[in-house]
Each structure stands twice: as C-alpha cells, then as structure tokens.
C-alpha cells in the first residue's frame, strides 16, 4: 500500500510539474533587425501577440515593412489558390505585432522575452539586468545569441532558472531549426516551455548544453575556418583575385575549387566561401575571436590573417558588396 501511495504521489507530482509549464501567448522581441523581425513574424503568424522593440521608430518602421514584404511572399505561395485568404493572413499577422521603443514598459505582461540584439555581452547584460526589474515573475528570458555563453548572460539577472538560449536561423520564416540551450540553472519547466513554444512556431527544436557554438556553429564555424586556411596557406593575397587561369598555383586550393568540391562532393547547397560571404565575414570573425579568447590553444579556434584583413577593409561579404567574392 505504501508503495502504491508513493507511486501515486510521484505521478501527481509529475503531472503538477507538467501542468505548470508556461504556455507562451505573449512574446516580446528585443531587436528589430533581420533575426528579431523574423522571430516576431513567425510568432505572430502562429497566433501569438508580439511586441517588437528597438531603439528608434525609424528602425521599427523598416522592420515592420520588411515583415510585411516577407509575409506577402509567404502568402503568395501558401494561398496560391486563394489570394483573398492570403491577404487576410497578412493583415491578421501584422495586426498581432505592435512596436515600442521602451522595452521596460512592455515586459510586465509578457510570457517570453526573446533578445536578438548586437553580439556584445556587456550590452546584453545591461539589457537583461534592467528588464529583470520590470518583467513578471513567470516571464521567461531567452537570448538568440549564436556565440556567447548563455550562462554569462543569465547571470546578469535574478531569474537564472527562467533563462535559456533560443537560437533561430536565418531566414527565420524558412529555416525549421531552433536550438534550445539549457544552462545548469535552467529549470526543466523553462526548458520544456521553450520546446513547446518552438513547436508552436512550426519549428523543429533540438536541445544542447551551454557549450561554445551550441551544435550548428560548433561544427560549422571550424569547417568554414579550415576552408579559409586551406585557401590562404602560403597565400600573399586574399579575396576576389582573378588570374584568368581558373585555378590557383598558390595555397592548397582556390576558393572557387573549394566551393565546387564541397557542393559536388559533399552535396552542400553552398560552398564555404559562398556561405561565409552570405553570413558575413565580420560575424564569423566575431565568433572565432570570442572562442579564441576562451581557449587560445585550441587549433580549431585560431584566427585567420586573411579573414582579419578582409574585415579590416570592410569587405564583409554580400552586405558590403565584397568579401571573398565581389557582388554587384
């Protein structure tokens, strides 16, 4: 009888814990850039009410315009046979997004705060420390960082148990993956709430501990860096140098051949140099520099002279018109 009672109590305890999971309905997204706007869009499109926050009304107007353009593309494909329903989908989604320049004034009634601002630990810490004073007790905080340690950000708050990583991928409306990062202090309730939220967005969540780069970037960034090293060994120049020969006699292989080899040999949709230019050379440099500072002896984290040179020359890829390749 005692055994049955214990089993019953465990069952009741488990059910109660599960019932206490936060069902996210109201979301505050901090940062109106590409990632923040994308997160706001998918949240609003799946029935959540969203407040999108950034520093100025001009930034927010640009974000809202980008979201509308993206939604119209989605609607055109999703409602190809019913344009009227597509238009209603766009309007309904947009009506679920409001904007604000004052984060502290809007977090008091939100279930989840997702931060997608500049990859700077000090700036993130200052933001979360401030929001922690105004957010409701139940509110979960999450960072979309791709390279910083979640624990270091969470330590700026008093809610380490309600803090986790929620790493989306660009472009957010199209990419299905979300990495849910659980720190040693993140509660199971918080973790499960974020997994459920990710699924509600139509995403496929995967879980990872708070390790550098999580899963994707931990594998991807060293691969990209090794491609650069393969190209730059004994190289005197880097970037878009056209010899007219179609191949290079310096380095171990040309960037063009490396890209072609990985697309045709490994089945990748983009070669490493094409991907580097798409992601942004400055972004990759920021990540690898941060990892190098934490583990200077790790050969995977060694900086690249070629990458440093291009970033110093403001050649960060597609967004600046030139990186490893030139773009018109």
């Amino acid at each position: 009888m005692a055994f049955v009672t214990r089993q019953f109590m465990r069952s009741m305890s488990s059910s109660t814990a599960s019932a206490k999971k936060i069902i996210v309905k109201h979301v505050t997204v901090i940062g109106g850039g590409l990632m923040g706007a994308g997160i706001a869009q998918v949240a609003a499109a799946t029935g959540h009410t969203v407040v999108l926050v950034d520093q100025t009304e001009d930034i927010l107007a640009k974000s809202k315009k980008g979201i509308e353009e993206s939604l119209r593309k989605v609607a055109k494909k999703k409602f190809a046979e019913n344009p009227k329903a597509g238009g209603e989908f766009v309007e309904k989604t947009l009506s679920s997004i409001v904007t604000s320049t004052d984060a502290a004034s809007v977090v008091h009634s939100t279930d989840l705060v997702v931060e997608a601002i500049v990859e700077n630990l000090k700036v993130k810490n200052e933001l979360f420390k401030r929001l922690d004073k105004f957010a409701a007790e139940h509110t979960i905080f999450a960072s979309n960082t791709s390279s910083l340690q979640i624990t270091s950000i969470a330590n700026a708050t008093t809610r380490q148990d309600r803090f986790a990583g929620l790493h989306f991928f660009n472009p957010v409306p199209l990419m299905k993956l979300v990495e849910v990062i659980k720190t040693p202090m993140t509660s199971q309730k918080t973790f499960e709430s974020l997994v459920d939220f990710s699924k509600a967005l139509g995403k496929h969540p995967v879980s990872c501990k708070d390790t550098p780069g999580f899963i994707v970037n931990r594998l991807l960034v060293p691969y990209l860096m090794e491609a650069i090293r393969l190209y730059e060994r004994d190289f005197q120049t880097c970037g878009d140098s056209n010899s007219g020969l179609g191949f290079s006699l310096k380095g171990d292989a040309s960037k063009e051949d490396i890209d072609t080899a990985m697309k045709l040999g490994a089945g990748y949709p983009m070669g490493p140099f094409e991907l580097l230019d798409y992601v942004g050379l400055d972004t990759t440099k920021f990540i690898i520099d941060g990892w190098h500072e934490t583990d200077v002896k790790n050969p995977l984290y060694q900086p690249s002279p070629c990458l440093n040179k291009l970033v110093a020359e403001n050649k960060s890829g597609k967004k600046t018109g030139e990186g490893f390749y030139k773009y018109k």
Side-chain angles (χ1 to χ4, degrees), residues 53-293:
V53 180
D54 213 307
Q55 294 177 318
T56 69
E57 294 292 351
D58 287 344
I59 294 174
L60 290 168
K62 184 178 178 181
S63 300
K64 204 78 184 283
K65 181 180 179 182
I67 291 172
E68 181 175 357
E69 291 173 354
S70 177
L71 283 170
R72 295 201 182 281
K73 290 179 183 178
V74 172
K76 187 176 181 180
K77 185 177 180 180
K78 188 175 181 180
F79 300 94
E81 304 298 322
N82 192 346
K84 182 180 178 182
E88 291 173 351
F89 164 76
V90 172
E91 293 307 315
K92 182 180 179 182
T93 302
L94 287 174
S95 69
S96 296
I97 304 174
V98 297
T99 59
S100 175
T101 56
D102 186 0
S105 69
V106 298
V107 297
H108 61 86
S109 59
T110 195
D111 300 315
L112 172 65
V113 174
V114 182
E115 167 270 312
I117 62 172
V118 62
E119 286 285 80
N120 182 298
L121 181 60
K122 182 180 178 181
V123 174
K124 291 181 189 290
N125 282 347
E126 289 174 352
L127 170 71
F128 279 117
K129 183 177 182 180
R130 180 164 179 258
L131 297 185
D132 192 34
K133 300 174 183 177
F134 296 94
E137 186 72 17
H138 77 280
T139 303
I140 295 172
F141 284 0
S143 175
N144 182 59
T145 181
S146 60
S147 61
L148 299 175
Q149 187 185 48
I150 301 297
T151 303
S152 297
I153 307 173
N155 284 341
T157 75
T158 60
R159 62 182 75 212
Q160 289 96 332
D161 60 320
R162 287 150 287 157
F163 205 116
L166 205 58
H167 183 217
F168 292 81
F169 291 80
N170 184 38
V172 179
L174 299 180
M175 299 294 279
K176 287 291 185 181
L177 184 67
V178 176
E179 292 176 322
V180 183
I181 314 305
K182 186 178 182 182
T183 77
M185 296 92 74
T186 306
S187 71
Q188 187 64 20
K189 170 184 164 183
T190 295
F191 172 74
E192 290 178 3
S193 297
L194 291 177
V195 167
D196 288 350
F197 172 67
S198 300
K199 290 178 179 178
L201 298 183
K203 303 301 183 184
H204 189 118
V206 295
S207 63
C208 182
K209 291 182 179 179
D210 192 13
T211 186
F214 315 136
I215 298 174
V216 174
N217 280 342
R218 181 65 174 269
L219 298 175
L220 179 61
V221 173
Y223 153 71
L224 296 175
M225 293 302 297
E226 190 58 27
I228 298 174
R229 294 184 190 108
L230 191 66
Y231 165 67
E232 74 180 354
R233 285 190 187 109
D234 301 322
F235 234 104
Q236 300 303 311
T237 60
C238 59
D240 188 30
S241 54
N242 297 311
S243 64
L245 297 175
F247 62 90
S248 173
L249 298 178
K250 294 180 179 180
D252 291 337
S254 71
K255 60 183 183 296
E256 293 83 3
D257 282 351
I258 294 171
D259 277 349
T260 299
M262 294 311 295
K263 287 188 287 186
L264 300 184
Y268 290 5
M270 300 174 74
F273 292 97
E274 293 170 328
L275 184 56
L276 279 158
D277 278 358
Y278 178 78
V279 170
L281 305 190
D282 54 339
T283 300
T284 302
K285 172 177 161 51
F286 179 86
I287 293 172
I288 206 67
D289 286 351
W291 293 359
H292 180 63
E293 286 179 11

